[in-house]
Amino acid sequence: MGILWFILIFISLTSHGDTHGPDSCNHEGGLCRIGNCVSGEYLASYCFEPIILCCKNMSPPATKS
């Protein structure tokens, strides 16, 4: 019975709201952070809502010419 609850909680967490996961965050140029984004970053989405955030730099990365 305990395993059943664990599976239900896991499914609930993985399908929650606006969650995209760490692969999506990294692919879009962000980093997953716990709690808050650091200075110079903004909240772009969630890796695992609401605790793990997907943070991106406010300024675009410099391109080489």
Side-chain angles (χ1 to χ4, degrees):
M1 187 67 172
I3 291 177
L4 179 62
W5 283 110
F6 177 75
I7 292 171
L8 290 174
I9 291 171
F10 181 76
I11 291 171
S12 172
L13 288 174
T14 58
S15 64
H16 189 276
D18 201 17
T19 304
H20 298 289
D23 291 335
S24 176
C25 180
N26 292 336
H27 180 70
E28 295 172 5
L31 293 173
C32 293
R33 299 200 185 273
I34 297 175
N36 296 312
C37 296
V38 296
S39 179
E41 294 180 339
Y42 68 96
L43 174 62
S45 63
Y46 292 94
C47 293
F48 296 101
E49 190 176 1
I51 298 170
I52 303 178
L53 314 174
C54 178
C55 302
K56 293 185 179 180
N57 286 331
M58 287 190 185
S59 59
T63 57
K64 294 182 180 179
S65 298

